[in-house]
Amino acid sequence: MSRLSVPLNQGHTAQRAFEQQISHPPANLPAPNPTKSFWINSTPDANPLAAEGSDGTLTSDADICIIGSGITGVGSAYHLSQAIADGKLGDDKPFTAVIVEARDFCSGATGRNGGHLTPAVYKHFHDLQKTYGTEQAIRTLDIESHTTDALLKIIDVQNLTGAVDLAALGRIDISITQQEQSDAKTDLKEAKEAGVDVDSVEILSEQTMNDKYGTPYPGFRFPGHNLWPLKLVTELYRIAKSRTPNFALTLHTRTPVTSITPASSSSSSTIPRRYIINTPRGPISCSYIIHATNAYTSHLLPHFTGPEGIIPVRGQVIALRAAVDRDELRPAGWVANESFEYWFPLPVKYDGGKEGSKKCPLVILGGGREVATSPFEVYEDDDSVINEDVSLVLKDFLPGLFEGKYEKGREPEMEWTGIMGMTKMSDPFVRILQHALRRLVF
Ligand SMILES: Cc1cc2nc3c(=O)[nH]c(=O)nc-3n(C[C@H](O)[C@H](O)[C@H](O)COP(=O)(O)OP(=O)(O)OC[C@H]3O[C@@H](n4cnc5c(N)ncnc54)[C@H](O)[C@@H]3O)c2cc1C
């Protein structure tokens, strides 16, 4: 009876896959030949920093080494440059930093994701509250809102809206099953009772969804944004690099860090060097390391291996042309099926892609992990391959959900995978940098 290509109500089964106490080896280094993503590879100039600092002399010494050039690594450099420019780390004290990236610039999850910048306003509140208590559940949602608001503010202050293709499409969360709908209503009600601001959430009936969007399932709508993540990270890097002469930032792509060893005590630097990061191009000595390696963290920090650590999970995404024009499609950012599937149409300037399909938007759709034989693609860290089972269900998902708006069997224009770094409690691991940096100064 279901026209949908994916299994439903899989959330709790997926959670068990994260909690399974099976021993796993540490993550591999990022695969050297990843699949090609829309964000990185759709045009020849999409990644202008791709090979930056990949040849020539390697920087041999820096105060701070940042490993990884995704939004975490580059975001750290951005905030460091701001703190230094504001004199927060000591007046006129110069700092050197180097970003070391295993592959091309921003070629990890940030260059391969779904492009949504939307917080989980109420989602999973019931389970979070039951497992971790009300205060912690609120904090989890707060991290989401804080991060989203902070990024939106940076985009606004730095005047980047056009440069990063930011679109305020809003978010519609479709509840396909009765169970999903009742869980979402419980999350919303309990979040509200706990004092979470959910005023912006609107419940959309089956009738409204059918009339307006052409799908027979109810939904929840709230504010949300979409953008081109690689463009944002490229801009952040440029700002960080040029912000102040007191922050000398260098980038070395195609330079995997293979190990970290203690530095010998003698050093000409004013700040004692504590670490050597080792790469095939040579060593770099530094005082502080920011591990911004996401799913690959356990390669260098093996204590992050397994269910208590950072778990690599492979996600798959397609760029699929809709069968109707933008007006008929009614653009929005969407998630469905307990957020396993997520999609949005690219801005209008990308509509004229293929001959004969002009004005039909290109839609970025991710998901389908529910059908993977290695359950939910958990502990998969190779983004050089496509999972064919996932491919099959992904391309038929939207035709099943919106009859007539997508063509069944249409091949995607691009398809790629990316490795997410997940934790069994769904929260990130972050050690606050400021404390460490104060020690640099005092
Ligand atoms: C398919 C997919 C869809 C997603 N959809 C969304 C979405 O729509 N919205 C959303 O908010 N989030 C989404 N995410 C999650 C989001 O992309 C990530 O949370 C975010 O990009 C993580 O950024 P990061 O900088 O921490 O990690 P990454 O972007 O993964 O960067 C880590 C970098 O470290 C490098 N690296 C690793 N090990 C080493 C080493 N030893 N030496 C040197 N370099 C190393 C890697 O090559 C990589 O470039 C998605 C992720 C995926 C994979």
Side-chain angles (χ1 to χ4, degrees), residues 7-206:
L8 308 173
N9 292 332
Q10 294 296 300
H12 286 105
T13 319
Q15 181 60 24
R16 284 197 289 280
F18 284 100
E19 290 173 0
Q20 260 193 334
Q21 296 293 330
I22 299 173
S23 87
H24 290 275
N28 291 297
L29 279 171
N33 51 344
T35 47
K36 292 186 182 338
S37 89
F38 177 85
W39 314 117
I40 299 174
N41 303 102
S42 58
T43 61
D45 56 354
N47 193 0
L49 297 170
E52 180 90 356
S54 60
D55 55 16
T57 310
L58 185 74
T59 303
S60 61
D61 182 85
D63 295 322
I64 303 154
C65 254
I66 300 172
I67 312 175
S69 66
I71 195 159
T72 306
V74 175
S76 302
Y78 176 91
H79 287 293
L80 267 169
S81 71
Q82 176 82 69
I84 290 162
D86 292 349
K88 288 190 178 151
L89 300 180
D91 280 345
D92 280 339
K93 189 169 166 46
F95 287 88
T96 53
V98 58
I99 299 178
V100 190
E101 165 57 50
R103 308 193 294 203
D104 285 1
F105 179 72
C106 198
S107 59
T110 313
R112 329 179 68 74
N113 64 24
H116 297 259
L117 178 56
T118 302
V121 177
Y122 61 94
K123 262 297 186 57
H124 307 303
F125 191 83
H126 173 78
D127 283 350
L128 286 168
Q129 183 168 239
K130 204 167 98 189
T131 313
Y132 303 112
T134 305
E135 196 184 329
Q136 201 55 44
I138 293 172
R139 288 173 99 184
T140 293
L141 296 187
D142 277 352
I143 292 177
E144 295 254 342
S145 302
H146 172 82
T147 310
T148 312
D149 291 349
L151 274 170
L152 289 171
K153 191 169 169 203
I154 288 171
I155 292 168
D156 182 38
V157 168
Q158 300 288 355
N159 216 3
L160 297 177
T161 301
V164 305
D165 288 329
L166 183 73
L169 295 179
R171 160 63 60 83
I172 301 174
D173 188 344
I174 302 183
S175 292
I176 293 174
T177 64
Q178 291 283 347
Q179 182 64 52
E180 200 183 349
Q181 189 186 11
S182 114
D183 287 350
K185 281 188 170 161
T186 303
D187 286 339
L188 188 60
K189 177 172 166 287
E190 292 183 5
K192 187 172 183 167
E193 283 165 2
V196 177
D197 180 3
V198 293
D199 287 352
S200 62
V201 182
E202 185 188 353
I203 299 179
L204 305 175
S205 66
E206 283 96 329

Side-chain angles (χ1 to χ4, degrees), residues 1-8 174 176 209-210 213-217 392-406 408:
M1 38 156 292
S2 173
R3 299 172 299 174
L4 298 174
S5 55
V6 292
L8 308 173
I174 302 183
I176 293 174
M209 290 286 281
N210 216 3
Y213 300 105
T215 189
Y217 306 103
L392 282 176
V393 297
L394 264 185
K395 73 176 178 186
D396 284 339
F397 178 72
L398 291 176
L401 195 57
F402 299 94
E403 222 173 310
K405 297 199 175 187
Y406 295 86
K408 196 165 165 43

Side-chain angles (χ1 to χ4, degrees), residues 189-352:
K189 177 172 166 287
E190 292 183 5
K192 187 172 183 167
E193 283 165 2
V196 177
D197 180 3
V198 293
D199 287 352
S200 62
V201 182
E202 185 188 353
I203 299 179
L204 305 175
S205 66
E206 283 96 329
Q207 187 69 49
T208 306
M209 290 286 281
N210 216 3
D211 294 348
K212 207 162 175 187
Y213 300 105
T215 189
Y217 306 103
F220 297 76
R221 182 169 60 195
F222 51 95
H225 291 78
N226 293 83
L227 47 57
W228 190 308
L230 171 60
K231 289 185 179 177
L232 173 62
V233 175
T234 304
E235 295 294 335
L236 294 182
Y237 175 79
R238 287 186 169 141
I239 295 166
K241 189 166 173 62
S242 60
R243 178 129 51 189
T244 163
N246 279 346
F247 185 58
L249 178 63
T250 313
L251 168 63
H252 288 295
T253 61
R254 302 181 186 171
T255 308
V257 177
T258 49
S259 66
I260 297 168
T261 45
S264 65
S265 50
S266 68
S267 163
S268 57
S269 164
T270 49
I271 310 168
R273 296 303 186 224
R274 301 191 296 170
Y275 306 107
I276 308 279
I277 66 163
N278 299 298
T279 81
R281 297 175 63 196
I284 307 174
S285 55
C286 60
S287 301
Y288 292 92
I289 298 176
I290 298 176
H291 288 263
T293 47
N294 194 25
Y296 309 96
T297 300
S298 61
H299 188 83
L300 295 172
L301 302 173
H303 54 284
F304 277 98
T305 308
E308 308 307 322
I310 297 178
I311 303 167
V313 180
R314 183 168 53 208
Q316 195 156 316
V317 185
I318 61 176
L320 184 71
R321 188 72 62 182
V324 297
D325 70 16
R326 188 164 286 272
D327 288 346
E328 214 181 312
L329 200 63
R330 310 220 48 164
W334 301 84
V335 301
N337 191 21
E338 299 177 314
S339 307
F340 274 108
E341 279 70 46
Y342 43 92
W343 66 100
F344 82 101
L346 287 166
V348 70
K349 61 183 167 185
Y350 306 106
D351 281 0

